[in-house]
Amino acid sequence: MKDNAKNRIIELRKKIREYDYSYYVLAESKISDFEYDKLYKELEKLEQEYPEFITPESPTQRVGSDLTKEFNSVEHKTPMLSLANSYEESELIEFDKRIKNLLKLEEDIEYITELKIDGVSISILYENGKLKRAATRGDGTTGEEVTTNIKTIKSLPLEIFSTEIIPSSFEVRGEVFMEVEEFVRFNNQRIEQGLKPFANPRNLTAGTLKLQDPKEVAKRPLDIFTYYLLSDEQTFESQYSNLDQLSKYGFKVNKNFKLCKNITEVLEYCKYWDKERNNLPYETDGVVVKVNKIEYQARLGNVAKSPRWAIAFKFAAQRTKTKLKSITWQVGRTGAVTPVAELEPVFLAGSTISRATLHNKDEIKRKDIRVGDTVIIEKGGDVIPKIISVDLDERDKNSV
Ligand code: IVH
């Protein structure tokens, strides 16, 4: 009886794991919600009857029951670096020249371009194929342990199954994020409850990772794109083969990366995604350009806190003009009153905008914003747009 239960538990876990992988990583649904729930409930019931068979890698253990008392500090074995930023095409061309100079090469350098996901960077340690610990970047040297919260991410494997030999210890790095649609849904709920909404998906992600109640975390669907696998036991020839290995181990890798033969192709990729990014379900704030060959990366090395072999190309915030219809006052839960700009609805960066924050009275004065003005609005990292300035050429004599 007990053996039967154990075998069934193993079988159910395998099935659930495979369905989770197709649904959350590959975005292919292979079974109805009803069928899935049935398997899940059967597993839960068996594990209740035979708690001795519960393992931390069971899909039922994604949501812990205990509150996190404190977030322990974790020292990163390899520091988590950041990237130098660039905003202009010319800076990318300079970057390419610098690389060629340092490598003493004249031929084209192959780059891999990845979307820069606007989320929170994370390091996840696997030992003997099992998720052991997850930590935030912190100051790059020391971060905070957020393992219980990270385990709620359904696209992240709790255990690796592979036909290949898995390194006994490896680290995966990636970006935790929340889809814009989930962010909006969650924020709307908060507004209904009279709570302050989050400014953007990144803030909500960061706030969620800091929650002490894993049940609450599980209600806020976090997701992850992984972009790097590090292990003393495994070397890679290129960043491309590193991403490939991550995919083979069952990690979610953003599919919009590209191998570029030269810097011209990098520029084309950046231009393409600057336009297309609004059609993505998640937020990206730029492109990460990496020298593909690891041998070159090693030769180039790091300066201070960022590698010489990579650069971030940041997209410019998107702006447009519209008319300010009126200014209303919004009373927050704390009683604070903030002015809100009611705008002629205008489409910008993937959504229709009809309101913008004005922060406070002083800002209205400083920017000399008047009802009836044509204003320039900007959508940056925040989903709630800002008024940048007034187009004075279009000001009506009677503006107030
Ligand atoms: S590579 C040393 N790739 O952007 C290389 N970073 O400052 C560093 N990010 O904190 C990271 N998407 O969290 C890399 N495809 C991607 C990324 C990415 C987002 C974040 C990362 C880092 C910051 C760069």
Side-chain angles (χ1 to χ4, degrees):
M1 195 52 209
K2 209 168 163 173
D3 275 354
N4 283 348
K6 190 174 179 183
N7 289 337
R8 181 64 183 154
I9 284 175
I10 291 169
E11 189 183 4
L12 285 166
R13 279 182 194 156
K14 182 164 184 277
K15 280 192 177 169
I16 293 171
R17 200 172 56 234
E18 284 167 3
Y19 288 132
D20 278 348
Y21 176 73
S22 1
Y23 188 79
Y24 294 103
V25 180
L26 307 177
E28 294 164 8
S29 180
K30 292 214 164 128
I31 170 178
S32 70
D33 288 358
F34 176 77
E35 288 296 323
Y36 180 92
D37 289 344
K38 216 166 89 179
L39 295 173
Y40 194 90
K41 280 182 187 138
E42 187 187 345
L43 176 62
E44 266 184 332
K45 192 162 164 278
L46 279 173
E47 285 184 340
Q48 261 162 28
E49 271 172 59
Y50 300 95
E52 63 271 36
F53 297 143
I54 298 180
T55 65
E57 294 76 34
S58 172
T60 59
Q61 304 304 301
R62 286 200 178 268
V63 185
S65 48
D66 297 339
L67 292 188
T68 310
K69 286 182 203 75
E70 56 176 330
F71 294 101
N72 296 324
S73 292
V74 172
E75 198 168 325
H76 299 297
K77 206 171 140 199
T78 312
M80 289 183 82
L81 304 177
S82 56
L83 293 172
N85 287 331
S86 62
Y87 301 88
E88 309 279 346
E89 280 194 5
S90 60
E91 292 176 86
L92 288 180
I93 293 169
E94 275 308 309
F95 168 76
D96 179 56
K97 278 194 189 140
R98 204 156 57 232
I99 300 283
K100 284 179 182 159
N101 266 333
L102 289 164
L103 293 174
K104 298 192 172 60
L105 287 175
E106 271 167 32
E107 70 250 36
D108 283 344
I109 305 286
E110 187 183 51
Y111 294 103
I112 187 162
T113 43
E114 298 167 18
L115 290 179
K116 188 170 183 301
I117 307 302
D118 198 8
V120 175
S121 52
I122 205 87
S123 146
I124 309 159
L125 179 69
Y126 285 80
E127 270 170 11
N128 304 316
K130 292 170 180 168
L131 191 159
K132 269 280 139 357
R133 198 182 67 197
T136 59
R137 178 173 181 276
D139 62 4
T141 312
T142 315
E144 273 180 338
E145 184 183 345
V146 287
T147 315
T148 31
N149 291 349
I150 288 297
K151 278 179 78 179
T152 65
I153 303 176
K154 298 242 186 59
S155 60
L156 188 69
L158 300 177
E159 191 169 2
I160 311 297
F161 291 88
S162 171
T163 46
E164 296 169 36
I165 299 166
I166 305 166
S168 62
S169 170
F170 67 89
E171 196 186 319
V172 169
R173 292 193 177 168
E175 197 82 357
V176 179
F177 67 97
M178 200 180 287
E179 288 200 348
V180 176
E181 208 173 282
E182 299 287 358
F183 161 78
V184 171
R185 187 180 309 151
F186 182 80
N187 252 358
N188 286 340
Q189 272 173 22
R190 274 181 80 89
I191 294 165
E192 273 167 32
Q193 291 161 358
L195 300 169
K196 195 171 175 258
F198 284 86
N200 54 48
R202 177 173 29 81
N203 286 3
L204 174 54
T205 302
T208 303
L209 285 177
K210 289 203 180 89
L211 291 177
Q212 286 170 307
D213 183 359
K215 288 209 174 63
E216 191 52 42
V217 176
K219 286 186 206 153
R220 306 178 179 188
L222 296 176
D223 206 342
I224 188 169
F225 281 124
T226 62
Y227 52 71
Y228 200 40
L229 190 149
L230 286 103
S231 174
D232 293 342
E233 300 154 60
Q234 195 171 16
T235 51
F236 295 95
E237 191 260 323
S238 62
Q239 167 64 9
Y240 179 86
S241 56
N242 195 308
L243 292 181
D244 188 49
Q245 185 64 269
L246 283 168
S247 291
K248 283 184 179 150
Y249 284 165
F251 290 99
K252 185 158 164 170
V253 172
N254 190 297
K255 64 175 192 308
N256 298 314
F257 65 83
K258 186 177 187 267
L259 265 184
C260 299
K261 286 199 292 290
N262 50 43
I263 200 73
T264 314
E265 287 192 10
V266 170
L267 298 177
E268 278 164 17
Y269 179 92
C270 293
K271 260 194 216 138
Y272 175 81
W273 283 108
D274 191 13
K275 287 220 178 64
E276 270 309 301
R277 64 176 157 141
N278 298 324
N279 298 325
L280 292 168
Y282 44 83
E283 294 211 314
T284 156
D285 57 341
V287 170
V288 183
V289 183
K290 302 174 181 175
V291 170
N292 187 40
K293 222 182 183 155
I294 305 290
E295 184 210 319
Y296 289 170
Q297 290 186 4
R299 272 165 63 187
L300 291 161
N302 306 327
V303 263
K305 286 191 168 176
S306 43
R308 279 201 197 85
W309 47 264
I311 195 165
F313 175 78
K314 299 284 283 265
F315 297 132
Q318 299 173 79
R319 292 182 175 186
T320 191
K321 277 188 204 174
T322 188
K323 255 205 156 62
L324 176 63
K325 291 196 299 188
S326 65
I327 295 173
T328 53
W329 298 86
Q330 188 169 287
V331 185
R333 201 168 58 101
T334 54
V337 187
T338 44
V340 176
E342 304 290 343
L343 307 165
E344 200 77 65
V346 59
F347 193 77
L348 174 66
S351 62
T352 301
I353 288 158
S354 51
R355 304 180 94 193
T357 58
L358 283 165
H359 300 291
N360 52 47
K361 254 187 185 166
D362 289 345
E363 180 170 299
I364 304 178
K365 267 196 202 136
R366 193 166 49 81
K367 290 184 177 164
D368 187 22
I369 298 168
R370 305 185 194 178
V371 172
D373 273 347
T374 296
V375 290
I376 294 149
I377 58 168
E378 176 179 291
K379 205 164 149 183
D382 289 359
V383 167
I384 304 158
K386 298 196 271 262
I387 291 188
I388 295 301
S389 61
V390 174
D391 185 347
L392 291 174
D393 291 342
E394 293 190 32
R395 173 168 281 172
D396 198 275
K397 284 189 293 295
N398 308 317
S399 65
V400 281

